[in-house]
Amino acid sequence: MSDRELIVKHLGLRGHRVTGSRRRVLDALLAAPAHFTVDDVLQRAPGVGRATVFRTMKLLQDMNVVCRVLMEDGSLHYRLSTTGHHHHLLCRHCGRIEDFVNCDVSALVTELSSNTEFEIEGHWLEVYGRCQSCRARSAGPADKRAIGSAADVG
Amino acid sequence: MSDRELIVKHLGLRGHRVTGSRRRVLDALLAAPAHFTVDDVLQRAPGVGRATVFRTMKLLQDMNVVCRVLMEDGSLHYRLSTTGHHHHLLCRHCGRIEDFVNCDVSALVTELSSNTEFEIEGHWLEVYGRCQSCRARSAGPADKRAIGSAADVG
DNA sequence: ACTCTAACTGATACTTAGTCTCATGTCAGA
DNA sequence: TCTGACATGAGACTAAGTATCAGTTAGAGT
Ligand SMILES: [Zn+2]
Ligand SMILES: [Zn+2]
Ligand SMILES: [Zn+2]
Ligand SMILES: [Zn+2]
């Protein structure tokens, strides 16, 4: 069973209708590159209305089919996702993204909980850097896929 | 020397002009509550143009006078800041914010660096939860200062 | 004090991201 | 196949921010 069929099935099971527009949006983002904007989807899903694309993205997000990625310039991209909670490592230089799930964010949270009087319920974390292949062909000038002024650089 | 005088002096030293508009924006945000939007500033700085407020906020941000806070609903707020890199603990229930600087994010970064082949250059982290006083008067219904659907809840 | 100019300004038009409304269309269960 | 709740597209609208530009001004140099 293809990715698309799986998702469609999942939609059905959750009581959502499987409509033409939703199928076109799905096809669009399954064919899209590793991360993309709502606008990318709009252009790849001909005939589907703007509002519908936004609505569908939100639906898929709630279903963990896609996740949102906060780019360093503050814009939001989307990415196919299977797992629930996880974080991203973004290469500033080539735009590549890797997920990390098993990393010890929970240790940080635990530490914070005991240091402060807050009860921690959630968090948002994105990490920016330079991937292996970009390090390899290093001293080259960075391209523009992940520009940043919004970065909380640490 | 007052906060304002200090900042004004700092502006001057960095070669920025100290104009009426900038003074009005400064007064506005020094009088504002613990965190506020650009729009709040606009309303508290009568006569200052929209674009100028945005420009001034960016300037003050570059000077570490203010920092940006990513609310759980995705909107951006500002907050007076003195230190450079730090993170925020936001109470979802009363809107209170605490900074944390000394927390071991660097351990996480180090771990990530060795687990992945990324060279980590920056990150963005916000933490959401419930502050001590909100926990004290617990079972009460949450108010609406920090609503969230955008949360990356972990 | 006077001049000069780069820095700054407000108005306004524009862009981008997303929401709302509403009349029309359609999926899927009976 | 009927039917109505769900979904849709068009387009108006909001919110957040940027670009342009003609006019103003801070403040350095004299
Ligand atoms: Zn790379
Ligand atoms: Zn940090
Ligand atoms: Zn609280
Ligand atoms: Zn996490």
Side-chain angles (χ1 to χ4, degrees):
Chain A
M1 191 185 273
S2 73
D3 277 358
R4 199 187 90 155
E5 285 167 327
L6 263 173
I7 298 169
V8 163
K9 191 173 175 185
H10 199 182
L11 267 174
L13 288 177
R14 293 257 209 125
H16 299 290
R17 292 193 182 163
V18 178
T19 66
S21 295
R22 284 180 179 167
R23 263 192 283 256
R24 270 172 280 155
V25 167
L26 264 180
D27 288 343
L29 55 84
L30 286 168
H35 57 106
F36 48 86
T37 63
V38 171
D39 225 66
D40 292 335
V41 176
L42 247 169
Q43 288 178 2
R44 288 159 177 273
V48 180
R50 211 174 134 59
T52 300
V53 171
F54 276 101
R55 287 186 282 236
T56 306
M57 292 308 287
K58 192 166 287 172
L59 183 64
L60 293 175
Q61 193 183 314
D62 292 344
M63 289 172 53
N64 281 330
V65 172
V66 296
C67 59
R68 309 195 308 165
V69 182
L70 182 63
M71 306 300 281
E72 245 180 324
D73 67 358
S75 66
L76 273 179
H77 282 216
Y78 289 80
R79 171 176 166 78
L80 288 173
S81 164
T82 45
T83 66
H85 181 82
H86 64 274
H87 304 284
H88 304 119
L89 256 158
L90 289 89
C91 179
R92 281 173 168 171
H93 311 276
C94 69
R96 176 179 183 163
I97 299 183
E98 271 180 38
D99 292 347
F100 64 96
V101 184
N102 54 346
C103 181
D104 219 356
V105 183
S106 51
L108 175 65
V109 168
T110 308
E111 188 196 333
L112 267 177
S113 293
S114 56
N115 283 1
T116 66
E117 297 297 331
F118 269 73
E119 177 187 343
I120 293 171
E121 300 170 332
H123 57 264
W124 181 287
L125 173 64
E126 304 277 3
V127 180
Y128 309 97
R130 176 187 287 251
C131 76
Q132 187 182 20
S133 52
C134 286
R135 279 160 69 198
R137 52 171 156 71
S138 52
D143 73 27
K144 294 297 175 192
R145 282 199 236 172
I147 345 155
S149 68
D152 190 16
V153 179
Chain B
M1 191 185 271
S2 73
D3 277 358
R4 201 189 89 157
E5 285 167 328
L6 263 173
I7 298 169
V8 164
K9 191 174 176 184
H10 198 183
L11 268 173
L13 289 177
R14 293 254 209 129
H16 300 291
R17 291 192 181 164
V18 178
T19 66
S21 295
R22 285 182 178 166
R23 264 191 281 255
R24 269 171 281 155
V25 167
L26 263 180
D27 288 343
L29 56 84
L30 286 168
H35 56 107
F36 47 85
T37 63
V38 171
D39 225 66
D40 292 334
V41 176
L42 246 169
Q43 288 178 2
R44 288 159 176 273
V48 181
R50 210 175 134 59
T52 299
V53 171
F54 275 102
R55 288 186 283 237
T56 306
M57 291 309 286
K58 191 168 287 171
L59 183 64
L60 293 176
Q61 193 183 313
D62 291 344
M63 290 173 53
N64 281 329
V65 172
V66 297
C67 59
R68 309 195 307 166
V69 182
L70 182 63
M71 306 300 282
E72 244 179 326
D73 67 358
S75 66
L76 272 179
H77 282 215
Y78 288 80
R79 172 175 164 80
L80 289 174
S81 164
T82 45
T83 65
H85 181 83
H86 64 274
H87 304 284
H88 304 119
L89 256 158
L90 289 89
C91 179
R92 281 173 167 170
H93 310 276
C94 70
R96 176 179 181 160
I97 298 182
E98 271 180 37
D99 293 347
F100 64 97
V101 186
N102 53 346
C103 181
D104 219 355
V105 183
S106 51
L108 175 65
V109 167
T110 308
E111 189 195 333
L112 268 177
S113 292
S114 55
N115 283 0
T116 67
E117 296 297 329
F118 269 72
E119 176 188 343
I120 293 171
E121 300 171 333
H123 57 264
W124 181 285
L125 172 64
E126 304 277 4
V127 180
Y128 307 97
R130 177 187 287 250
C131 76
Q132 187 183 21
S133 52
C134 287
R135 280 160 69 200
R137 50 170 159 70
S138 53
D143 73 27
K144 294 296 175 191
R145 283 197 235 173
I147 345 152
S149 68
D152 190 16
V153 179

